[in-house]
Amino acid sequence: MPEDLQEFARQAREFLGAHAARVAAERAGFRWGEGDDRVAYFGADPPEVEERKLRAARDWQRTRYENGFGWVSGPPEYGGRGLTPVHDLVYDSIESEYDVPDTGTLSVIGLGMIGPTILAHGQQPVKDRYLPAMYRGDVIACQLFSEPEAGSDLASLQTRAVASEAGWILDGQKVWTSVAQHSQIGMALCRTDPDAPKHKGITAFLVDMSAPGVDVRPLRQMSGGCDFNEVFLSGVRVPDDHRLGEVNGGWRVALTTLMNERAAVGSEGSGPVAEALSPERLSALMRATWTWDDRALRRDLSELLADMMATGHLNARAFRRMQAGVAPGPEMSVAKLMYAQNLTRSAHFVSRVLGPRIIADTGEWGTYAWAELLLATPALRILGGTEEIMKNILAERVLGLPKEPGIDTVSPFRALPRSGAGGAP
Amino acid sequence: MNDGKEELDELREAVREFLTAKSPESAVRAAMESGPRHDPAVWDQMARQLRLPGLALPSDYGGDGFGLTELEVVLEEMGAALLCSPFFATVVLAAQALLASADEAACARYLPGIAAGQTIATLAAAEGNASWDPAMVAARAERVKGDGEVGGGWVLSGKKSFVIDGTIADLVLVAARSIAGPSLFAVDRGAPGLHAEPMTTLDPTRAMAVLTFDQVPAVLIGAEGQGGRLMSRVLDLASVALAAEQAGGARRCLEMSAGYARTRFQFGRPIGSFQAVKHKCADMLVRVELAEATAREAARLADEAAAEFPVAAATAHICCSQAYMFAAAENIQVHGGIGFTWEHPAHLYFRRAKSSELLFGGPAVYHERLLDRLGI
C-alpha cells in the first residue's frame, strides 16, 4: 500500500476507534438454538424500528462527514475529501471491521448512484444545494427510473415532461422505487421528445419529493413486506435548473447512474444472510435436522459451497485489483449474477434440508425462519438488471457478440409497438 | 503484488509465444499420434530457452525458486494450447511428491535433473480403481534381507494404473504399502521386474500407462508410513496445477465459441446475435471467470502457506473441473456440425476436459474431499 494510503488508513482507524467498537475478530461462537434466527434479505422491520435505524444511519453519516469520511472521493467544494476511489475502498474495508450503523438507506442509491450523477451532470445551483446536504446525511435521494411499461427496456419509459414558462411539468408513474418514502429528492427520467428514437428523447430531472403532485405508495412484494414504492407524478413542477444534463440527453445521464449501480450490487458478501449461509452454519443445520449423512444433500452442499467460495475469490481478486489501481474487468457483473444464483440455490438447499418444517411453523428455532429468505430470492435474479439483461451485457461488452437487430433504436419512440396494444402496428 | 503483476504478464506472454510456435494444433495432433506422445525437441527447448521445469523448484535444487502462482500461469497456457508434454507428470506430480516428502537426500538426487529438463518423472499413486485414497494402496513394499545387490533396500510388487507418461518416465515415484503403511518409493526406469504398458486413453493428449512391479528394487523416499499424509498434500497441489490447465482450456473454448458466434452467419445474421447463443457464451464466461479466480487464488494461498489452502484447492478442483467440461461441451454446441468433426479441435478439448475432471476420482470423491477439508 502506498504511503499516503497508509496514512489515510491510520486516520480512518483513529476516527473509527474514537467513535465505534471493533467487531469481534471471531464471530461470537455460533450455537444452534441461540440468538436471533431471522434470515432476512429485505428489511421488513416494524415502523418504529425502521425509524430508529434511519435516525442512527443519518447520525452516523453526519459523524463521518464532520470527520472527513462522509465523501472520501468527492470534491472539496461540495464537502468531499478530494481523494481517490481507491481511498473509498480502503475506508469501506476498514469500517467493516467496526460495529457501526448500516447506512444503506442513504448510501446505496443516494450517495452511491445519484450523488455521482448530480456531480457529473447537475447545474451549479443544484450541486451547491444538494451535494453537501446529501453527504451530511440531511437529504436522502431515490431513483425514479423503472415504470410498469419500462422494465428491462428502461429507454421505453413513458413519463412525460413538458416545458412550460414556469419550468417543466411531469406526469406519469414510476415503480420499484426503493427508499422513496424517506427521500427528499428523486432522480426522474422523463420522455421529452416522443418523435425521436427512444434513447434520444429522454431528459433527467431532480424532483422535490415534497412537491405537490408527488404521491408515494408502498408496494407490497411477494415476500410480504413493503421495501419498494410506486411513485405517481401528476402535474409536478420542476424548475429548469433541476434538469440534469442536456434536454433529450438523459440517457447518458442515466448510464452514469446505472454504472454505479452495478458496482454497488455485486459486492454483497457479508451481513446476516452471508453469515447464515456460512459452511459452519449450514453444517450445523444439517446436524440439527439429522440430515448430516444424507449423500445427496452432502453433494448439493459441496456444489453450493464451491460456487459460493468461488464467487468470494472472484470478489476478493477484483477488490485487490481495484486497490492496486487496475480497472475491474467483468468480475463485478459475474459476481452479481452468481450472488443471485448462489442465494437462490442456498434457499432451496436449506428447504430440502428442512423438509416440511419450512411449509408450516413448528415453533422450532432456526427452521421456519428460512421462509423469509426463500420468498425473497426470486427478486435477486430480477433487481438491478435481470439475469437475461446481465448476460446480454456480458456477451456484448466482454465477448464482443453483436446486438440483436431491431427497429426500436432507430424508429421514433411514438411508432414502437407497446404491450397490450395488439402487437405490431 | 503490484510489481508481481507485470512479471506474470511477461511470463504469460513468453510462454504463449513459445506455445504458439511449438504447439499449434498440427503439432498437438502429430504428438498425440506419436509413440512417446510428446515432442522431445520441444521438451528440451522448454528447459533450455524458458527454464520452465525449474521455474517453481527451490534454488537449492537447481530451480529458479518461484511459486505456484508463476507455475499457474505456465499451466494455464499449456492447457489452452493442449500441449502434449510430460511437464505435468514431471514438474507437478513427481517434483511435488519429492518436495512433500521432505527427504533432502532424495531431493538433491532427483530435483536438479528435473529442473534441468534432463529427467522425465512421474508419480504412480492410483491403482485399478483410480483412487488416490491411501487406504486403497495395495502395491506391496518389502525390505530385502542380506547384503546382495539390493540388500538393505526395498522391492516392490503390484500394479499401478493411470500412470501419466508412465512409459517414458526415467524416474517413477510409487506409493506402496509396507508394514508401517503407505510409503513413497523411487524406481528407475529399466529396473528389473518393471513393466510399462500404454493404456488406451479417452484423451490422446495425455499418455497413461499400467505399470507392473515384480520384485522391483526401490529406494524409500521420506519416512516409512508417511505416504498417506504425503498423497493428500500432493493431491491438493496437483489439483491446483490441474485446475490451472483446466481454466486455460476452458478460456480457450470460450474464445473459440465467441469467435465463431461473431463470424458464423445463419438466417442472415451472426449467430452470436441470437440470445440463445449469446447467453450460452455468457454462461461460459461466468464459469471461466470463476474457474480462473479459484485456480489463481488457490495458488496464491499455497505460496503464502495459508491455512485456507486445502479448502481453496478442493474448491478450485471442483469449479475448474465443472467449468472446463461445461465450456468444452457448449463449445461443440455453439459450433454445430463442424464442431463434431475429427478435423475440428473441439473434440480434443472435450476429451481433455473429461479426462481432467475424472483424473483424481471426479465428483464421486471431490465433493466429499471439499467437505472433509472444511471439517464438515
Side-chain angles (χ1 to χ4, degrees), chain A residues 263-288:
Chain A
V265 173
S267 55
E268 307 178 47
S270 57
V273 174
E275 222 161 273
L277 296 175
S278 66
E280 182 198 9
R281 290 280 290 272
L282 290 175
S283 67
L285 177 71
M286 287 178 73
R287 274 196 303 272

Side-chain angles (χ1 to χ4, degrees), chain B residues 271-350:
Chain B
I271 60 169
S273 66
F274 293 100
Q275 282 196 347
V277 176
K278 188 177 280 186
H279 286 186
K280 212 180 269 306
C281 294
D283 288 339
M284 289 164 79
L285 173 65
V286 167
R287 287 288 145 191
V288 169
E289 288 284 332
L290 288 173
E292 273 177 10
T294 57
R296 294 174 183 178
E297 195 67 358
R300 188 183 70 81
L301 291 166
D303 289 342
E304 290 178 1
E308 307 97 297
F309 169 65
V311 170
T315 302
H317 187 38
I318 294 176
C319 289
C320 293
S321 295
Q322 291 177 342
Y324 196 9
M325 197 59 248
F326 175 70
E330 293 298 68
N331 186 36
I332 295 175
Q333 184 67 16
V334 168
H335 280 81
I338 190 80
F340 186 66
T341 61
W342 183 264
E343 283 73 19
H344 198 280
H347 74 99
L348 298 178
Y349 287 89
F350 184 96

